[in-house]
Amino acid sequence: MRRQQGVLLDERYVPYLQMTGLYHLARLNDRWFRIDKPLLSAFVERWHPKTHTFHMPFGECTITLQDVAYQLGLAVDGRYETYGECPEGADEDTVRRFARTYIMMLLGTQLFADKSGNRIHIIWLPYVARLEEMGSYSWGSVALAWLYRCMCRVANRHVVKLAGPLQLLQSWIFWRFPRFKPAGYDTCSWPLASRWSGYNPSVSEKGPRVQMWRLQIDMLQPRDFIWMPYSSPEVLQVVHPEALEPRHTMLWRSVTLLIYFAVIEWHQIDRVLPQFGGVQPRPRPALNIDFLMSKDGRGGDHWFPSALKHWHLHWESRADHVLRFDVVADPGPSHTYLDWWSQHEKRFLPPEMYLGDLRGVPIPVEASQRGLGLVPDMDRVDDVPDRRRIERRARVGTRRSQRE
């Protein structure tokens, strides 16, 4: 699969890519998308599996379904579920066969890459065989679930290689953190991740560069993170109208499950409300479940069919878990949140000798005035099944499948 990345898109494939909802993603395949591994390694060090957020000195932030829609141009609402150039004068059946191969290449290199770097799971063959149905799936939520799981895996100190849609992670960093944005990439195109397709990171030794990025992350201030980058004029000029359909934009603010076969992850936007224009109050306990984190289909997934109906029903009711909150002119963490954050979270990773008095960074005065009188309406979060109930259902489903 790796050899096929960069293969030119044949215009005859376009109708099939549009049918499957992957047409915009194909733009990322026009040129090699090189990954800055030290930069991503430094960010993954700050990933917390239980909250699905990056823990930064100024608070929490994460990649959401909104980011997937803008960065990769994928639909987020829907269901969850050797190669050469197509010859000239090929009949429709031949073009369709080559288009299927091209789609498999996109899935294997852009969305669901594993650590092999050159294979794609055979489980996708039945889906590619039914091209007419592929456009109805929620590709955005599936890709985000896989990225979440890959980052959760590499948080284990015994795992050293990161897989998944890393171009999404890297593009998210460049759009959200101006300090890390490479110079000379000022042209905005759709999908937004295609902006960096020609980026060529340094090839210097990885260890010192990881330490350098780690130190720069520790020195970040609240002003160094852009809470709402997609409201800028340059984005509004290129965004595809399909990404702004109400059924998609509504789902961006939903605290729901993300399902990728036997991988189930939470979309916990209730911890990053400023990314949607709100004020972040003190967060509620994390919704993630240790049982599900240990299940991903490896070593057998016989437990999954018996428990699938519970997760399926929750995804079907995703519109019931959309958060309602006030949008303010100055989004960001509240004073209450920052006070809690400074007391309970580890804001710095390098040794104290590298930072000096930076550990005494005070809570900004404006945080006490942010969103004054505008209290987020978090009632909808109560609609999400609590952790104990879901864990109980999962255990019951496991015992049932074992008996069967």
Side-chain angles (χ1 to χ4, degrees), residues 214-273:
R214 185 185 297 151
L215 180 60
Q216 289 199 30
I217 293 174
D218 277 353
M219 297 175 65
L220 288 172
Q221 300 293 320
R223 62 179 179 275
D224 295 322
F225 183 78
I226 301 179
W227 291 110
M228 301 180 68
Y230 308 131
S231 58
S232 65
E234 62 175 350
V235 173
L236 297 177
Q237 290 176 359
V238 301
V239 63
H240 197 277
E242 183 183 28
L244 301 179
E245 292 180 5
R247 67 189 183 97
H248 296 310
T249 58
M250 173 195 67
L251 194 55
W252 297 346
R253 303 185 305 277
S254 178
V255 180
T256 187
L257 293 168
L258 306 175
I259 304 175
Y260 172 49
F261 295 111
V263 170
I264 299 175
E265 301 284 356
W266 281 107
H267 184 238
Q268 291 196 212
I269 66 102
D270 56 310
R271 303 184 73 94
V272 292
L273 293 185

